[in-house]
Amino acid sequence: YAKSAGKNNFQFYTKAMNAKAMERMELENALHRAVRQTQFELHYQPILDSRSGAMVGVEALVRWQHPERGLVLPDAFINIAEESGTIKVLGAWVLRRACQQLVTWERHHQRVGRLAVNISARQFVEGHILQTLRDVVDRTGVDPTHLELELTESALMQDHRYSVEVLEAIKSLGVRVAIDDFGSGYSSLNYLKKFPIDAIKIDQAFVKGLPSQEDKRIIQAIIALAHSLGLKVVAEGVETSLQLECVRALGCEEVQGFLLGKPVPAQQFAAQAVL
Ligand code: C2E
Ligand code: MG
Ligand code: MG
Ligand code: MG
């Protein structure tokens, strides 16, 4: 009896696992196809100076225009693209597309400030990021000093020596570097002084918690640390004016969030921005 129950259980699990594995494989294949057919588009969200309210930059955020499912947000596919390696091609496309857009804006005298592009861990570690970057700069004619790469702690932590080397090469092109989602991952504070970075973006979770005392103190500590190392601080995920007041009072230079502007397609972004 026990044996057959166990067997049923086993069958149950394999069935569930198969379904999950199948779903995942389908998603992987669909993603691969999507990259070939360029079913992606970029949305842009403004980054503002916390004091003057002036737009100082825009972050490019990828969306998948799925033929059946409609607009799919990155949380539903970036991890899979990362694990399957598709991120290398997708990431290169994102960088090129975003730079083309910046060049177009600038050509039309629409000043959006710097362009921030997310780079995944795998893209940084094995995606020939330097070669891609140089190639994109050559092909689009984008001014590299108007460009910022957003990297995560986990990308930089994998191989310190490699990270320092690549970051220095990126910096020598004039491209800025920011650490995204700071405080959410496994961080060794020691690397902050070793890595040539320009800014950190405080993880949204801390901003969400405002005005709680705990989150205030954490943000305060992050800002003190950043400033003592000469880094700028961006607060992400600002949704209320109270949160905006808080991060401004704490000394955050820049802010980003739904309160100040949601990610929108380039067309809408240009129309929205007061330039
Ligand atoms: P992220 O780089 O930290 O980007 C910020 C995310 O927070 C975006 O979500 C943005 O829409 C959202 N957000 C901004 N302000 C607010 C707010 O006030 N409230 C809330 N609740 N959310 C806000 P999105 O576009 O869904 O992207 C999620 C993540 O996917 C990004 O987080 C980034 O890690 C990744 N991602 C997006 N585009 C790319 C890309 O082109 N390449 C790579 N490698 N990753 C990307
Ligand atoms: Mg980002
Ligand atoms: Mg972030
Ligand atoms: Mg994130």
Side-chain angles (χ1 to χ4, degrees), residues 59 61 118 150 180-181 201 236:
E59 178 172 3
L61 296 156
N118 293 287
E150 294 190 1
D180 207 352
D181 304 337
K201 300 185 81 169
E236 278 194 289

Side-chain angles (χ1 to χ4, degrees), residues 159-225:
D159 181 341
H160 290 213
R161 277 242 303 269
Y162 171 86
S163 295
V164 170
E165 242 171 65
V166 175
L167 288 176
E168 268 161 8
I170 290 172
K171 302 284 321 165
S172 74
L173 294 174
V175 175
R176 285 172 45 118
V177 175
I179 296 186
D180 207 352
D181 304 337
F182 185 81
S184 69
Y186 158 63
S187 28
S188 147
L189 297 177
N190 194 38
Y191 76 95
L192 275 182
K193 68 171 188 215
K194 286 196 201 144
F195 294 163
I197 51 179
D198 301 282
I200 61 175
K201 300 185 81 169
I202 300 178
D203 191 63
Q204 297 196 15
F206 302 120
V207 179
K208 290 252 144 53
L210 290 174
S212 93
Q213 280 308 314
E214 288 88 351
D215 288 298
K216 246 189 208 165
R217 290 201 189 101
I218 289 172
I219 292 179
Q220 204 163 23
I222 292 175
I223 293 174
L225 176 71

Side-chain angles (χ1 to χ4, degrees), residues 71-271:
L71 203 70
V72 184
L73 292 174
D75 284 338
F77 65 88
I78 286 290
N79 279 342
I80 292 161
E82 172 99 7
E83 283 160 27
S84 64
T86 304
I87 194 72
K88 290 183 244 175
V89 184
L90 175 58
W93 178 84
V94 167
L95 189 62
R96 182 159 44 89
R97 188 73 204 88
C99 288
Q100 282 169 347
Q101 186 59 59
L102 181 65
V103 168
T104 302
W105 275 328
E106 291 182 345
R107 208 178 279 140
H108 292 88
H109 307 289
Q110 294 181 324
R111 291 168 52 85
V112 295
R114 67 174 190 272
L115 168 73
V117 179
N118 293 287
I119 303 295
S120 82
R122 189 147 176 197
Q123 217 184 328
F124 181 73
V125 176
E126 45 176 291
H128 311 288
I129 185 67
L130 268 177
Q131 201 180 306
T132 306
L133 197 54
R134 289 198 189 103
D135 195 52
V136 165
V137 168
D138 279 351
R139 284 167 61 179
T140 63
V142 75
D143 181 341
T145 66
H146 294 182
L147 200 56
E148 177 170 86
L149 302 187
E150 294 190 1
L151 293 155
T152 56
E153 294 161 289
S154 58
L156 298 174
M157 293 308 297
Q158 295 190 23
D159 181 341
H160 290 213
R161 277 242 303 269
Y162 171 86
S163 295
V164 170
E165 242 171 65
V166 175
L167 288 176
E168 268 161 8
I170 290 172
K171 302 284 321 165
S172 74
L173 294 174
V175 175
R176 285 172 45 118
V177 175
I179 296 186
D180 207 352
D181 304 337
F182 185 81
S184 69
Y186 158 63
S187 28
S188 147
L189 297 177
N190 194 38
Y191 76 95
L192 275 182
K193 68 171 188 215
K194 286 196 201 144
F195 294 163
I197 51 179
D198 301 282
I200 61 175
K201 300 185 81 169
I202 300 178
D203 191 63
Q204 297 196 15
F206 302 120
V207 179
K208 290 252 144 53
L210 290 174
S212 93
Q213 280 308 314
E214 288 88 351
D215 288 298
K216 246 189 208 165
R217 290 201 189 101
I218 289 172
I219 292 179
Q220 204 163 23
I222 292 175
I223 293 174
L225 176 71
H227 285 173
S228 71
L229 294 168
L231 309 175
K232 290 259 166 67
V233 182
V234 187
E236 278 194 289
V238 176
E239 290 182 351
T240 69
S241 36
L242 196 57
Q243 290 167 348
L244 176 62
E245 253 337 293
C246 262
V247 296
R248 191 182 359 211
L250 291 171
C252 249
E253 282 84 8
E254 295 175 0
V255 286
Q256 183 182 357
F258 291 170
L259 177 72
L260 311 150
K262 290 194 170 173
V264 291
Q267 217 71 9
Q268 247 166 287
F269 186 85

Side-chain angles (χ1 to χ4, degrees), residues 18-31 80:
N18 277 341
K20 231 182 147 188
M22 284 286 281
E23 199 186 297
R24 189 187 156 106
M25 223 166 69
E26 269 165 33
L27 191 56
E28 257 176 44
N29 289 339
L31 252 181
I80 292 161

